[in-house]
Amino acid sequence: MAVGTSGSPGTTGADGPARSGAAAPPPAGGGRKPVIEARSIDYVPLAERHGKVWHLFPVWFAGDAHLATVATGAIGVGLGGNLVWTAIAVVLGCALGTFFMAFHSTQGPQLGLPQMVQSRPQFGFIGALLVWLVALTTYIGYNAFNQILVGSTLDHLADVPTGASYVGYAVIAIVLAVVGYDIIHKASRWLTYVVLVALALFTVCVIVVHPFTHAQLDLGSFALTPFLIQLFTAAVYQLSWSIYVSDYSRYLPPSVGVRSSFWWTYLGAGVGGAWMMLVGTVAAGLFPGKSLVESVISAGDRALGGFGVALLVITVLPLLTMGALNVYGGSLTLLSSLDSLGRFRLTVARRIGALCVVAVVSTAIAFGASENFVEEFGHFLSVLGTLFTPWTAVNLADFYLVRRGRYSIREIFNPRGIYRRWNWRGLLAYGTGFVVMLPFSVIGDAEGPMARLLGGLDVSMPVGLFVAAGVYLLVCRSLDLSAERLAVAAADAGLEPEGT
């Protein structure tokens, strides 16, 4: 897929000088790689690309296979669905949501940029702030929920004060995120090995013990409402990872290809997400009256005597790298937002400062949150679905169907460039998709009129995808792509050394 191949974007483009602050690369030179990652939202030159495409599997398997995912798989049973139909909904929902998420992952090697800064061609240099603020809220919200889960687990297991858990979690996340991309990938690989063994052992033991009743496995006991709610909740949960994925594939060389990066991401997130959600489904089905932590312990003990605590601990461990992913991605989004508002030079100190801001805000939210985690988590996912579905539709439609991967890296960092400050096409498509989704949405006790007619079912996700993508493709028919591609070639000429 052809892209405006480029280096550091801090040079003069075809339509004016790019912002020098957004372009500052780390110092060039030989020797060992620095311990602390120097790049943030700037482009990763081809000479710095490294890693193998299969590394995307563990980073998204471990990123998805944790206790928060377990909670997502328990929602259908909690609404009255039986175990087998909830399990089917989990698998189908994960397959659907991960499909769109994995397509975002392929953008990283092709563009060499973090995920959210890639929204500027669709929404404009300033207009992209709309989706960035939503993304920043997501990173902080997820991290706060994860801190609450870790705190309740350690309190249950070892009477560790929740406040100490929140602070410790934040410190570990900051340390990993400061070191950056490579350490997050390495930690994810080791965690994947551990979690894979634990999940395989749990699954085999559950099959052998077979603790289920006929009613739990009765395919004739189908309830539409809990089935669809579980399906779309799982899909939205997986879709919400879309704002993360290019952050952890952007150092890969573009030669890894679209198909490979798609499938390694899809399998990692899809298998890790579905498998861990099924742990939640089984735990909630076997022990419906217990809390999330207690039901996981009880399910592990039922499968293999004494395995419950170990299973719980193993589902908590990936939350440590998940914390790093959240503050790392949140810091990139925060820096992208600040870069749109005013000139400043990107430095390691500013990157670390942004990491700390994200971690401190999420920790403050965790301290002030209520204990009704599962219900609030479900509402949070509903809000995310409404906010991110039209962005996903617009971003993917632009990348694969309109511009087909042909972007100028320099112009993405140029406030007076070809992508303009405000792009009415992307904003109109996003706004239309968002408004059309509302009548089909269910958020907490609030039901849209169409959702009410459908018996309280939230089917806003497919509606938003179809409408936002359709509107964007329609309004882009007037876009002069031939002229834009000439401008892209002129702006990015000479950005990579000859022979790179």
Side-chain angles (χ1 to χ4, degrees):
M1 186 169 293
V3 180
T5 304
S6 50
S8 172
T11 51
T12 301
D15 293 281
R19 298 160 63 99
S20 60
R32 296 182 301 173
K33 289 194 300 182
V35 174
I36 296 176
E37 182 183 355
R39 294 200 176 273
S40 57
I41 64 172
D42 48 328
Y43 171 78
V44 180
L46 297 180
E48 296 180 25
R49 305 293 186 93
H50 61 278
K52 297 183 169 85
V53 69
W54 70 264
H55 292 168
L56 295 173
F57 179 94
V59 82
W60 292 115
F61 184 94
D64 222 351
H66 50 69
L67 194 57
T69 310
V70 173
T72 307
I75 289 172
V77 172
L79 294 171
N82 78 339
L83 191 146
V84 67
W85 279 112
T86 299
I88 293 171
V90 161
V91 173
L92 293 178
C94 284
L96 174 63
T98 310
F99 178 80
F100 298 99
M101 171 262 203
F103 271 117
H104 286 289
S105 181
T106 69
Q107 297 168 325
Q110 304 306 312
L111 294 178
L113 292 173
Q115 187 68 66
M116 296 312 296
V117 79
Q118 298 173 27
S119 297
R120 280 177 174 166
Q122 300 97 54
F123 298 95
F125 192 89
I126 301 295
L129 277 170
L130 169 70
V131 291
W132 291 347
L133 292 175
V134 174
L136 189 57
T137 301
T138 302
Y139 284 120
I140 292 172
Y142 263 135
N143 221 41
F145 277 125
N146 292 345
Q147 286 171 284
I148 293 169
L149 277 178
V150 170
S152 63
T153 301
L154 293 182
D155 179 53
H156 182 88
L157 293 177
D159 292 325
V160 176
T162 56
S165 299
Y166 298 162
V167 173
Y169 182 89
V171 169
I172 293 172
I174 290 172
V175 170
L176 290 175
V178 164
V179 178
Y181 180 96
D182 287 333
I183 192 64
I184 291 172
H185 270 268
K186 288 178 182 177
S188 297
R189 288 198 286 276
W190 284 106
L191 283 170
T192 293
Y193 304 144
V194 174
V195 175
L196 270 172
V197 171
L199 287 178
L201 178 61
F202 175 75
T203 301
V204 170
C205 290
V206 164
I207 292 172
V208 171
V209 173
H210 191 66
F212 311 112
T213 66
H214 172 74
Q216 290 171 328
L217 302 180
D218 183 12
L219 289 171
S221 299
F222 177 74
L224 181 63
T225 298
F227 176 82
L228 288 180
I229 290 176
Q230 178 65 78
L231 187 152
F232 286 118
T233 300
V236 167
Y237 183 84
Q238 295 297 98
L239 181 67
S240 68
W241 296 116
S242 297
I243 64 173
Y244 295 72
V245 282
S246 281
D247 297 353
Y248 305 100
S249 62
R250 74 189 198 277
Y251 279 88
L252 290 172
S255 59
V256 299
V258 171
R259 288 186 180 180
S260 295
S261 53
F262 171 86
W263 281 112
W264 282 114
T265 302
Y266 186 85
L267 291 173
V271 172
W275 206 347
M276 195 60 84
M277 283 187 205
L278 290 174
V279 172
T281 303
V282 169
L286 294 178
F287 304 97
K290 294 189 175 184
S291 68
L292 177 66
V293 168
E294 291 173 340
S295 65
V296 170
I297 293 175
S298 298
D301 288 340
R302 177 72 65 89
L304 179 65
F307 184 58
V309 171
L311 178 64
L312 179 64
V313 170
I314 288 168
T315 64
V316 169
L317 284 177
L319 285 175
L320 299 178
T321 56
M322 195 61 246
L325 264 67
N326 281 319
V327 297
Y328 183 92
S331 70
L332 296 178
T333 303
L334 178 58
L335 290 171
S336 298
S337 302
L338 295 174
D339 177 62
S340 290
L341 296 174
R343 292 171 178 262
F344 73 99
R345 187 169 183 81
L346 294 172
T347 63
V348 172
R350 287 194 170 100
R351 186 176 83 83
I352 295 173
L355 292 169
C356 293
V357 168
V358 173
V360 167
V361 173
S362 67
T363 303
I365 292 174
F367 272 104
S370 71
E371 297 179 358
N372 195 9
F373 167 74
V374 175
E375 181 180 350
E376 291 182 356
F377 189 66
H379 297 167
F380 183 61
L381 289 177
S382 298
V383 173
L384 289 186
T386 307
L387 293 172
F388 274 118
T389 294
W391 168 77
T392 284
V394 170
N395 183 264
L396 292 181
D398 187 67
F399 189 88
Y400 289 100
L401 301 177
V402 178
R403 290 185 168 96
R404 301 192 179 188
R406 295 178 175 91
Y407 299 90
S408 166
I409 305 302
R410 277 179 172 160
E411 293 299 281
I412 285 175
F413 291 92
N414 185 358
R416 297 177 297 279
I418 60 176
Y419 303 125
R420 305 181 183 277
R421 294 171 69 83
W422 301 90
N423 190 324
W424 66 269
R425 292 179 176 88
L427 294 169
L428 176 64
Y430 180 93
T432 304
F434 176 78
V435 170
V436 171
M437 288 177 71
L438 292 178
F440 296 89
S441 299
V442 178
I443 301 176
D445 295 328
E447 294 181 357
M450 296 305 298
R452 195 176 302 115
L453 287 175
L454 295 171
L457 297 179
D458 186 331
V459 294
S460 59
M461 179 183 171
V463 173
L465 286 169
F466 178 79
V467 171
V471 171
Y472 189 73
L473 292 174
L474 181 64
V475 297
C476 282
R477 294 180 67 181
S478 62
L479 188 64
D480 189 347
L481 291 173
S482 297
E484 182 177 292
R485 286 167 186 165
L486 290 174
V488 167
D492 284 1
L495 289 174
E496 288 283 357
E498 291 295 330
T500 304

